[in-house]
Amino acid sequence: MKLILLGAPGAGKGTVAKRLTAIDGSVQISTGDILRGAVQAGTELGKEAEGYMNRGDLVPDSLIMGIMEQRLQMDDCKTGFLLDGFPRTIPQAEALKTLMNKIGISLDMVVNIDVPRDVIFDRLCTRRTCENTKCQAIYNVKSMPSKVEGICDKCGSNIVQRADETEVAIGHRLDTYNEKTAPLAGFYEKEGLLKTVTGTSSDVVVAAIEKALSL
Ligand code: AMP
């Protein structure tokens, strides 16, 4: 399947994407994960992106499009892909459309995961992430703690609170989402690709996607 997962930070895009990969081997492509990997590895891309990310601002479109132009042409995308956290602005959506026309691929659907702001705020404040960039497993101190406090169940690395998951940065990320990313729902509605799913449980969202794609 070739999908875009839209939704505010904390709406559950990553969890839904991971579950969908198990259905048909489509790959999850998270621009946030790619950027955090670059920051940790200390690459030029990471150095350029880090300040924006820590403040909860969007990284410039040109950097993101450079990443996606390469990523979408990798062999593992041939089976399908789940775009998680990209596109995030109208210029990115337009550039993605041009890129997909150029490389001859088309989207099946754009899923907008709609979750109330208070639920999202609470989720993000209590979310913890494995610091190993190859793992980046997600936990929640309230609803999904690791077996041993502070240690990832999957790889044994430390679990940390992301620098952009303080209350101030979260508030700013949600405002940025409303201003820059929420308009993408209208963009994809016009393209005839939008499916909005309202639900705080990934079971509900995954089931709605399977139904819409007749899987
Ligand atoms: P995420 O894990 O998707 O919430 O992304 C974490 C941070 O990475 C965001 O707050 C942005 O600073 C940056 N980022 C991720 N994806 C994008 C994108 N498509 N466009 C611009 N910035 C992005």
Side-chain angles (χ1 to χ4, degrees):
M1 62 187 101
K2 297 186 173 70
L3 297 188
I4 292 176
L5 298 170
L6 281 183
K13 300 184 296 294
T15 307
V16 168
K18 285 195 177 66
R19 292 187 50 180
L20 293 174
T21 58
I23 295 177
D24 70 351
S26 296
V27 286
Q28 174 189 11
I29 303 178
S30 156
T31 39
D33 284 352
I34 294 171
L35 290 168
R36 279 184 289 281
V39 170
Q40 213 176 28
T43 64
E44 278 309 308
L45 170 66
K47 284 183 199 143
E48 276 195 70
E50 189 170 15
Y52 296 100
M53 295 174 76
N54 289 346
R55 287 190 298 276
D57 284 330
L58 293 181
V59 168
D61 291 337
S62 55
L63 279 187
I64 296 290
M65 289 317 301
I67 297 172
M68 290 309 293
E69 185 148 6
Q70 286 187 0
R71 186 65 190 87
L72 281 173
Q73 295 187 72
M74 288 184 181
D75 272 354
D76 61 353
C77 290
K78 294 206 170 97
T79 318
F81 50 77
L82 306 151
L83 302 185
D84 159 11
F86 170 86
R88 257 198 170 75
T89 62
I90 296 281
Q92 287 181 20
E94 281 166 347
L96 174 65
K97 193 173 167 186
T98 307
L99 173 62
M100 299 226 307
N101 283 339
K102 187 175 110 187
I103 58 182
I105 47 177
S106 56
L107 291 166
D108 297 322
M109 199 163 73
V110 176
V111 183
N112 185 21
I113 308 176
D114 188 23
V115 178
R117 184 179 167 118
D118 56 331
V119 174
I120 287 204
F121 198 84
D122 187 55
R123 259 190 206 170
L124 288 179
C125 290
T126 52
R127 183 156 87 169
R128 300 291 181 268
T129 306
C130 172
E131 70 175 357
N132 172 1
T133 52
K134 296 214 169 66
C135 178
Q136 302 203 29
I138 303 283
Y139 297 89
N140 186 289
V141 289
K142 282 194 196 160
S143 60
M144 208 179 46
S146 56
K147 290 192 188 104
V148 178
E149 197 185 327
I151 303 293
C152 179
D153 294 347
K154 294 190 178 129
C155 74
S157 304
N158 291 328
I159 296 171
V160 295
Q161 181 166 27
R162 279 168 42 179
D164 63 354
E165 287 181 353
T166 61
E167 287 195 21
V168 174
I170 290 167
H172 185 54
R173 281 166 71 201
L174 293 179
D175 291 343
T176 304
Y177 174 79
N178 287 336
E179 186 194 334
K180 304 256 172 66
T181 311
L184 291 183
F187 179 95
Y188 286 114
E189 185 147 42
K190 278 199 206 116
E191 301 270 313
L193 287 167
L194 189 73
K195 162 128 192 99
T196 295
V197 184
T198 306
T200 52
S201 128
S202 59
D203 288 344
V204 171
V205 178
V206 170
I209 295 171
E210 287 181 308
K211 190 167 171 218
L213 292 174
S214 311
L215 294 173

Short mmCIF file of all heavy atoms in Angstrom, two decimals, residues 151-193:
data_model
loop_
_atom_site.label_atom_id
_atom_site.label_comp_id
_atom_site.label_asym_id
_atom_site.label_seq_id
_atom_site.Cartn_x
_atom_site.Cartn_y
_atom_site.Cartn_z
N ILE A 151 14.54 1.40 30.56
CA ILE A 151 15.28 0.52 29.64
C ILE A 151 14.33 -0.05 28.59
O ILE A 151 13.25 -0.56 28.91
CB ILE A 151 15.93 -0.67 30.43
CG1 ILE A 151 16.85 -0.15 31.54
CG2 ILE A 151 16.69 -1.60 29.48
CD1 ILE A 151 18.10 0.57 31.07
N CYS A 152 14.77 0.01 27.32
CA CYS A 152 13.92 -0.46 26.23
C CYS A 152 13.75 -1.99 26.27
O CYS A 152 14.74 -2.73 26.34
CB CYS A 152 14.55 -0.04 24.89
SG CYS A 152 13.62 -0.59 23.46
N ASP A 153 12.50 -2.45 26.19
CA ASP A 153 12.22 -3.90 26.18
C ASP A 153 12.83 -4.56 24.96
O ASP A 153 13.23 -5.72 24.99
CB ASP A 153 10.69 -4.16 26.08
CG ASP A 153 9.95 -3.69 27.31
OD1 ASP A 153 10.58 -3.39 28.33
OD2 ASP A 153 8.70 -3.61 27.23
N LYS A 154 12.88 -3.80 23.83
CA LYS A 154 13.28 -4.43 22.56
C LYS A 154 14.77 -4.53 22.39
O LYS A 154 15.28 -5.52 21.90
CB LYS A 154 12.69 -3.64 21.39
CG LYS A 154 11.17 -3.73 21.40
CD LYS A 154 10.55 -3.18 20.14
CE LYS A 154 9.04 -3.37 20.24
NZ LYS A 154 8.29 -2.15 19.98
N CYS A 155 15.53 -3.46 22.79
CA CYS A 155 16.96 -3.48 22.47
C CYS A 155 17.85 -3.20 23.69
O CYS A 155 19.08 -3.25 23.57
CB CYS A 155 17.28 -2.49 21.35
SG CYS A 155 17.25 -0.79 21.88
N GLY A 156 17.27 -2.89 24.85
CA GLY A 156 18.07 -2.70 26.07
C GLY A 156 18.73 -1.34 26.19
O GLY A 156 19.45 -1.07 27.15
N SER A 157 18.47 -0.43 25.21
CA SER A 157 19.05 0.92 25.32
C SER A 157 18.22 1.76 26.29
O SER A 157 17.16 1.34 26.74
CB SER A 157 19.04 1.61 23.95
OG SER A 157 19.72 0.82 23.00
N ASN A 158 18.73 2.99 26.59
CA ASN A 158 17.98 3.86 27.49
C ASN A 158 16.73 4.41 26.81
O ASN A 158 16.74 4.71 25.62
CB ASN A 158 18.85 5.05 27.92
CG ASN A 158 19.97 4.59 28.83
OD1 ASN A 158 19.80 3.65 29.60
ND2 ASN A 158 21.10 5.26 28.74
N ILE A 159 15.70 4.61 27.64
CA ILE A 159 14.48 5.26 27.15
C ILE A 159 14.51 6.69 27.67
O ILE A 159 14.76 6.92 28.86
CB ILE A 159 13.24 4.55 27.71
CG1 ILE A 159 13.18 3.11 27.19
CG2 ILE A 159 11.97 5.29 27.34
CD1 ILE A 159 12.12 2.28 27.86
N VAL A 160 14.27 7.66 26.77
CA VAL A 160 14.41 9.07 27.17
C VAL A 160 13.17 9.88 26.77
O VAL A 160 12.37 9.46 25.95
CB VAL A 160 15.66 9.71 26.49
CG1 VAL A 160 16.94 9.06 26.97
CG2 VAL A 160 15.56 9.60 24.97
N GLN A 161 13.06 11.06 27.40
CA GLN A 161 12.03 12.01 26.96
C GLN A 161 12.68 12.85 25.88
O GLN A 161 13.77 13.42 26.08
CB GLN A 161 11.60 12.89 28.13
CG GLN A 161 10.51 13.87 27.74
CD GLN A 161 9.83 14.53 28.93
OE1 GLN A 161 10.43 14.67 29.99
NE2 GLN A 161 8.59 14.93 28.76
N ARG A 162 12.05 12.95 24.71
CA ARG A 162 12.64 13.72 23.61
C ARG A 162 12.73 15.19 24.00
O ARG A 162 11.88 15.71 24.71
CB ARG A 162 11.76 13.58 22.36
CG ARG A 162 12.02 12.31 21.61
CD ARG A 162 10.99 12.00 20.56
NE ARG A 162 10.54 13.11 19.76
CZ ARG A 162 9.65 13.01 18.78
NH1 ARG A 162 9.15 11.82 18.47
NH2 ARG A 162 9.25 14.06 18.10
N ALA A 163 13.77 15.87 23.48
CA ALA A 163 13.96 17.30 23.78
C ALA A 163 12.75 18.12 23.34
O ALA A 163 12.45 19.15 23.93
CB ALA A 163 15.21 17.81 23.08
N ASP A 164 12.04 17.65 22.29
CA ASP A 164 10.88 18.42 21.81
C ASP A 164 9.59 17.92 22.44
O ASP A 164 8.50 18.19 21.95
CB ASP A 164 10.80 18.41 20.28
CG ASP A 164 10.60 17.01 19.69
OD1 ASP A 164 10.64 16.03 20.45
OD2 ASP A 164 10.40 16.91 18.48
N GLU A 165 9.70 17.16 23.55
CA GLU A 165 8.49 16.72 24.24
C GLU A 165 8.38 17.30 25.64
O GLU A 165 7.85 16.66 26.56
CB GLU A 165 8.34 15.20 24.14
CG GLU A 165 7.93 14.87 22.71
CD GLU A 165 7.69 13.43 22.35
OE1 GLU A 165 7.95 12.53 23.17
OE2 GLU A 165 7.26 13.19 21.21
N THR A 166 8.88 18.52 25.81
CA THR A 166 8.58 19.29 27.02
C THR A 166 7.26 20.01 26.74
O THR A 166 6.85 20.15 25.58
CB THR A 166 9.66 20.35 27.26
OG1 THR A 166 9.67 21.22 26.12
CG2 THR A 166 11.04 19.72 27.40
N GLU A 167 6.59 20.49 27.82
CA GLU A 167 5.27 21.11 27.62
C GLU A 167 5.32 22.30 26.65
O GLU A 167 4.45 22.46 25.81
CB GLU A 167 4.66 21.55 28.96
CG GLU A 167 4.19 20.34 29.75
CD GLU A 167 3.26 20.69 30.91
OE1 GLU A 167 2.67 21.78 30.89
OE2 GLU A 167 3.17 19.86 31.82
N VAL A 168 6.39 23.12 26.78
CA VAL A 168 6.48 24.31 25.92
C VAL A 168 6.65 23.90 24.46
O VAL A 168 5.94 24.38 23.56
CB VAL A 168 7.68 25.19 26.36
CG1 VAL A 168 7.89 26.34 25.39
CG2 VAL A 168 7.44 25.71 27.77
N ALA A 169 7.57 22.96 24.21
CA ALA A 169 7.82 22.55 22.82
C ALA A 169 6.59 21.84 22.24
O ALA A 169 6.26 22.02 21.06
CB ALA A 169 9.05 21.65 22.74
N ILE A 170 5.89 21.07 23.07
CA ILE A 170 4.70 20.35 22.57
C ILE A 170 3.63 21.36 22.15
O ILE A 170 3.03 21.24 21.07
CB ILE A 170 4.14 19.39 23.64
CG1 ILE A 170 5.10 18.22 23.85
CG2 ILE A 170 2.76 18.86 23.23
CD1 ILE A 170 4.80 17.38 25.07
N GLY A 171 3.38 22.37 23.00
CA GLY A 171 2.39 23.40 22.68
C GLY A 171 2.73 24.05 21.35
O GLY A 171 1.88 24.24 20.48
N HIS A 172 4.03 24.34 21.16
CA HIS A 172 4.47 24.99 19.93
C HIS A 172 4.30 24.05 18.73
O HIS A 172 3.86 24.47 17.65
CB HIS A 172 5.93 25.42 20.10
CG HIS A 172 6.45 26.20 18.94
ND1 HIS A 172 5.81 27.33 18.46
CD2 HIS A 172 7.52 26.01 18.14
CE1 HIS A 172 6.49 27.79 17.43
NE2 HIS A 172 7.52 27.01 17.21
N ARG A 173 4.63 22.77 18.91
CA ARG A 173 4.48 21.81 17.80
C ARG A 173 3.01 21.69 17.38
O ARG A 173 2.70 21.59 16.19
CB ARG A 173 5.01 20.42 18.21
CG ARG A 173 6.52 20.34 18.15
CD ARG A 173 7.04 19.11 18.86
NE ARG A 173 6.75 17.88 18.17
CZ ARG A 173 6.73 16.68 18.76
NH1 ARG A 173 6.96 16.57 20.06
NH2 ARG A 173 6.48 15.60 18.05
N LEU A 174 2.11 21.70 18.37
CA LEU A 174 0.69 21.58 18.03
C LEU A 174 0.18 22.83 17.31
O LEU A 174 -0.62 22.74 16.37
CB LEU A 174 -0.15 21.28 19.28
CG LEU A 174 0.12 19.89 19.90
CD1 LEU A 174 -0.72 19.68 21.16
CD2 LEU A 174 -0.16 18.77 18.90
N ASP A 175 0.68 24.01 17.74
CA ASP A 175 0.29 25.25 17.03
C ASP A 175 0.82 25.22 15.60
O ASP A 175 0.13 25.60 14.65
CB ASP A 175 0.84 26.49 17.76
CG ASP A 175 0.15 26.70 19.10
OD1 ASP A 175 -0.93 26.12 19.32
OD2 ASP A 175 0.70 27.43 19.94
N THR A 176 2.07 24.77 15.45
CA THR A 176 2.67 24.67 14.10
C THR A 176 1.86 23.70 13.24
O THR A 176 1.60 23.94 12.06
CB THR A 176 4.13 24.16 14.20
OG1 THR A 176 4.85 25.04 15.05
CG2 THR A 176 4.81 24.08 12.84
N TYR A 177 1.43 22.61 13.85
CA TYR A 177 0.62 21.63 13.12
C TYR A 177 -0.66 22.29 12.61
O TYR A 177 -1.02 22.16 11.43
CB TYR A 177 0.27 20.44 14.03
CG TYR A 177 -0.69 19.51 13.36
CD1 TYR A 177 -0.26 18.59 12.40
CD2 TYR A 177 -2.07 19.59 13.60
CE1 TYR A 177 -1.15 17.79 11.72
CE2 TYR A 177 -2.96 18.78 12.92
CZ TYR A 177 -2.49 17.88 11.99
OH TYR A 177 -3.37 17.09 11.31
N ASN A 178 -1.35 23.03 13.50
CA ASN A 178 -2.63 23.64 13.09
C ASN A 178 -2.42 24.64 11.96
O ASN A 178 -3.21 24.71 11.02
CB ASN A 178 -3.29 24.35 14.28
CG ASN A 178 -3.86 23.34 15.24
OD1 ASN A 178 -4.17 22.21 14.86
ND2 ASN A 178 -3.98 23.71 16.51
N GLU A 179 -1.31 25.37 12.05
CA GLU A 179 -1.08 26.43 11.06
C GLU A 179 -0.60 25.85 9.72
O GLU A 179 -1.10 26.20 8.65
CB GLU A 179 -0.03 27.40 11.63
CG GLU A 179 0.20 28.62 10.78
CD GLU A 179 1.47 29.34 11.21
OE1 GLU A 179 1.87 29.23 12.39
OE2 GLU A 179 2.07 29.99 10.35
N LYS A 180 0.40 24.94 9.79
CA LYS A 180 1.08 24.53 8.55
C LYS A 180 0.60 23.19 7.99
O LYS A 180 0.62 22.99 6.78
CB LYS A 180 2.59 24.39 8.81
CG LYS A 180 3.27 25.63 9.38
CD LYS A 180 4.05 26.32 8.28
CE LYS A 180 4.63 27.66 8.64
NZ LYS A 180 5.65 27.64 9.66
N THR A 181 0.22 22.25 8.87
CA THR A 181 -0.05 20.88 8.38
C THR A 181 -1.53 20.58 8.23
O THR A 181 -1.93 19.91 7.28
CB THR A 181 0.62 19.84 9.32
OG1 THR A 181 1.97 20.22 9.54
CG2 THR A 181 0.60 18.45 8.72
N ALA A 182 -2.36 21.11 9.14
CA ALA A 182 -3.80 20.82 9.06
C ALA A 182 -4.38 21.17 7.67
O ALA A 182 -5.24 20.42 7.17
CB ALA A 182 -4.54 21.52 10.19
N PRO A 183 -3.92 22.26 7.01
CA PRO A 183 -4.47 22.56 5.67
C PRO A 183 -4.25 21.45 4.63
O PRO A 183 -4.90 21.45 3.58
CB PRO A 183 -3.73 23.84 5.26
CG PRO A 183 -3.31 24.48 6.55
CD PRO A 183 -3.02 23.33 7.48
N LEU A 184 -3.37 20.48 4.93
CA LEU A 184 -3.15 19.40 3.96
C LEU A 184 -4.40 18.53 3.78
O LEU A 184 -4.58 17.91 2.73
CB LEU A 184 -1.98 18.50 4.39
CG LEU A 184 -0.60 19.13 4.36
CD1 LEU A 184 0.46 18.12 4.73
CD2 LEU A 184 -0.32 19.68 2.97
N ALA A 185 -5.26 18.50 4.81
CA ALA A 185 -6.49 17.70 4.68
C ALA A 185 -7.30 18.23 3.50
O ALA A 185 -7.78 17.46 2.65
CB ALA A 185 -7.29 17.74 5.98
N GLY A 186 -7.43 19.57 3.41
CA GLY A 186 -8.17 20.17 2.29
C GLY A 186 -7.48 19.89 0.96
O GLY A 186 -8.14 19.60 -0.05
N PHE A 187 -6.15 19.95 0.97
CA PHE A 187 -5.37 19.69 -0.26
C PHE A 187 -5.68 18.29 -0.80
O PHE A 187 -5.98 18.11 -1.98
CB PHE A 187 -3.86 19.82 0.07
CG PHE A 187 -2.93 19.57 -1.08
CD1 PHE A 187 -2.45 20.62 -1.86
CD2 PHE A 187 -2.50 18.27 -1.38
CE1 PHE A 187 -1.56 20.38 -2.91
CE2 PHE A 187 -1.62 18.02 -2.42
CZ PHE A 187 -1.15 19.09 -3.19
N TYR A 188 -5.65 17.29 0.11
CA TYR A 188 -5.86 15.91 -0.35
C TYR A 188 -7.33 15.59 -0.58
O TYR A 188 -7.65 14.66 -1.32
CB TYR A 188 -5.17 14.92 0.59
CG TYR A 188 -3.67 14.95 0.41
CD1 TYR A 188 -2.82 15.40 1.42
CD2 TYR A 188 -3.09 14.58 -0.80
CE1 TYR A 188 -1.45 15.46 1.23
CE2 TYR A 188 -1.73 14.63 -1.00
CZ TYR A 188 -0.91 15.07 0.00
OH TYR A 188 0.43 15.13 -0.20
N GLU A 189 -8.21 16.34 0.07
CA GLU A 189 -9.64 16.15 -0.22
C GLU A 189 -9.90 16.53 -1.68
O GLU A 189 -10.58 15.81 -2.41
CB GLU A 189 -10.47 17.02 0.72
CG GLU A 189 -11.96 16.77 0.55
CD GLU A 189 -12.71 16.92 1.85
OE1 GLU A 189 -12.40 17.88 2.59
OE2 GLU A 189 -13.59 16.09 2.12
N LYS A 190 -9.30 17.64 -2.10
CA LYS A 190 -9.47 18.08 -3.50
C LYS A 190 -8.90 17.04 -4.47
O LYS A 190 -9.38 16.89 -5.59
CB LYS A 190 -8.75 19.41 -3.73
CG LYS A 190 -9.56 20.60 -3.28
CD LYS A 190 -9.03 21.90 -3.94
CE LYS A 190 -9.38 23.08 -3.06
NZ LYS A 190 -8.23 23.80 -2.49
N GLU A 191 -7.85 16.35 -4.02
CA GLU A 191 -7.24 15.32 -4.89
C GLU A 191 -8.07 14.04 -4.89
O GLU A 191 -7.71 13.07 -5.57
CB GLU A 191 -5.83 14.98 -4.38
CG GLU A 191 -4.87 16.14 -4.32
CD GLU A 191 -4.08 16.34 -5.60
OE1 GLU A 191 -3.56 15.36 -6.13
OE2 GLU A 191 -4.02 17.50 -6.07
N GLY A 192 -9.12 14.00 -4.03
CA GLY A 192 -9.96 12.80 -3.95
C GLY A 192 -9.30 11.65 -3.22
O GLY A 192 -9.67 10.48 -3.42
N LEU A 193 -8.32 11.95 -2.35
CA LEU A 193 -7.56 10.87 -1.70
C LEU A 193 -7.81 10.77 -0.20
O LEU A 193 -7.35 9.83 0.45
CB LEU A 193 -6.05 11.11 -1.91
CG LEU A 193 -5.50 10.85 -3.30
CD1 LEU A 193 -4.10 11.42 -3.44
CD2 LEU A 193 -5.49 9.35 -3.60
#
